[in-house]
């Protein structure tokens, strides 16, 4: 349901810590709109590669981000409403999961002008109603005012195994290090966030725990 002040559930955490799977399950269960902010950074990384903009040239990446033609669209599929960023009328769903894009994304995400643009765009998602937003800086930077903050993590071995099971061979340690050490809005645990280490948990167990916590906190009027 739409409330006067939409509720934002912020789910941050390391790569392959189960953010997407669990954020989708939570959004579906509550009827909230799912927002994958990593997909937005990936879309910009893909667009840089497409336009032959050097991802190590922060000025050029920032300039491209300021002028690209984008639109947020909320779509419903398989009972899940989700907001996606379209560029030139296109959402590069497959392209953003390709290894070239994954390797480029944390460089693009470290550019201050990009983070400023993303923060505004991500805050604009509130136009769609209550949100479950996953990323790295949602509780610390994008919606620091929300009371619903979660931080997911799992051991590096478990996270690497999860990516491998999806057929993706990626240097997660290197990406985590770049995400945690950048100067602007680095990955960190937000003050007051509930930390869940799900190394030994299934997604059913993780999402049940998240839902239990959220429902305990929700005002009676919207439960
Ligand atoms: O969650 P993901 O793997 O799709 O994220 C892709 C990259 O984008 C990741 O390296 C970190 C970055 N990112 C970020 O810096 N801030 C966010 N809110 C979301 C993702």
């Amino acid at each position: 349901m739409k409330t006067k002040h939409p509720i934002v559930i912020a789910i941050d955490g390391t790569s392959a810590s189960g953010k997407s799977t669990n954020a989708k399950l939570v959004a579906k269960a509550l009827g909230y709109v799912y927002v994958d902010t990593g997909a937005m950074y990936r879309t910009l990384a893909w667009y840089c590669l497409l336009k032959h903009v050097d991802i190590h040239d922060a000025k050029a990446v920032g300039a491209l981000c300021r002028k690209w033609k984008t639109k947020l669209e909320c779509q419903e599929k398989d009972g899940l409403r989700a907001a996606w960023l379209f560029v030139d009328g296109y959402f590069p769903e497959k392209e953003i999961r390709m290894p070239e894009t994954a390797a480029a994304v944390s460089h693009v995400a470290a550019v201050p002008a990009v983070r400023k643009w993303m923060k505004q765009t991500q805050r604009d998602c509130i136009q769609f109603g209550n949100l479950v937003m996953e990323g790295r800086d949602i509780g610390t930077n994008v919606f620091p005012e929300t009371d619903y903050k979660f931080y997911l993590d799992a051991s590096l071995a478990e996270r690497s195994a999860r990516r491998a099971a999806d057929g993706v061979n990626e240097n997660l340690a290197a990406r985590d290090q770049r995400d945690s050490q950048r100067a602007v809005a680095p990955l960190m645990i937000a003050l007051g966030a509930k930390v869940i280490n799900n190394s030994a948990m299934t997604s059913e167990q993780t999402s049940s725990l998240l839902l239990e916590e959220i429902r305990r906190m929700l005002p009676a009027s919207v439960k």
Side-chain angles (χ1 to χ4, degrees), residues 8-13 37 41 109-124 133-151 179 182-193:
V8 177
I9 315 279
I11 303 183
D12 291 305
T37 61
Y41 287 97
V111 176
V114 168
R115 298 214 73 88
K116 189 173 171 213
W117 188 94
M118 290 288 174
K119 177 175 175 173
Q120 189 53 55
T121 304
Q122 289 159 14
R123 285 189 69 90
D124 287 347
M133 184 174 280
E134 59 134 317
R136 303 293 190 293
D137 65 336
I138 312 309
T140 53
N141 181 50
V142 180
F143 283 104
E145 69 273 31
T146 185
D147 290 330
Y148 305 87
K149 297 182 189 184
F150 297 91
Y151 186 93
D179 289 340
R182 64 171 172 246
V184 185
L187 168 66
M188 58 184 191
I189 302 172
L191 205 66

Side-chain angles (χ1 to χ4, degrees), residues 25-70:
L25 288 169
V26 168
K28 231 176 178 175
L30 296 173
Y32 289 10
V33 173
Y34 166 69
V35 189
D36 175 355
T37 61
M40 296 185 187
Y41 287 97
R42 284 170 181 264
T43 299
L44 180 62
W46 163 78
Y47 198 62
C48 286
L49 299 176
L50 184 77
K51 296 288 172 187
H52 304 290
V53 166
D54 179 3
I55 53 155
H56 301 287
D57 182 344
K59 233 175 137 183
V61 171
L64 185 72
C65 181
R66 273 192 291 261
K67 67 168 198 242
W68 64 339
K69 300 259 177 303
T70 60

Side-chain angles (χ1 to χ4, degrees), residues 48-177:
C48 286
L49 299 176
L50 184 77
K51 296 288 172 187
H52 304 290
V53 166
D54 179 3
I55 53 155
H56 301 287
D57 182 344
K59 233 175 137 183
V61 171
L64 185 72
C65 181
R66 273 192 291 261
K67 67 168 198 242
W68 64 339
K69 300 259 177 303
T70 60
K71 189 170 184 273
L72 283 170
E73 283 193 26
C74 186
Q75 301 184 336
E76 180 158 0
K77 201 176 157 193
D78 302 327
L80 177 73
R81 286 201 303 139
W84 302 106
L85 189 68
F86 280 65
V87 50
D88 295 336
Y90 176 66
F91 176 54
E93 191 173 1
K94 289 206 173 65
E95 295 89 329
I96 61 171
R97 304 294 161 196
M98 290 184 345
E100 305 89 285
T101 314
V105 65
S106 50
H107 297 286
V108 166
V111 176
V114 168
R115 298 214 73 88
K116 189 173 171 213
W117 188 94
M118 290 288 174
K119 177 175 175 173
Q120 189 53 55
T121 304
Q122 289 159 14
R123 285 189 69 90
D124 287 347
C125 290
I126 213 78
Q127 67 186 283
F128 301 122
N130 297 330
L131 307 174
V132 178
M133 184 174 280
E134 59 134 317
R136 303 293 190 293
D137 65 336
I138 312 309
T140 53
N141 181 50
V142 180
F143 283 104
E145 69 273 31
T146 185
D147 290 330
Y148 305 87
K149 297 182 189 184
F150 297 91
Y151 186 93
L152 299 189
D153 203 359
S155 68
L156 182 60
E158 173 60 25
R159 293 186 292 117
S160 301
R162 287 176 190 170
R163 275 288 200 263
D166 287 341
V168 183
N169 191 0
E170 204 191 334
N171 189 340
L172 289 181
R175 192 138 73 90
D176 285 347
Q177 195 180 19

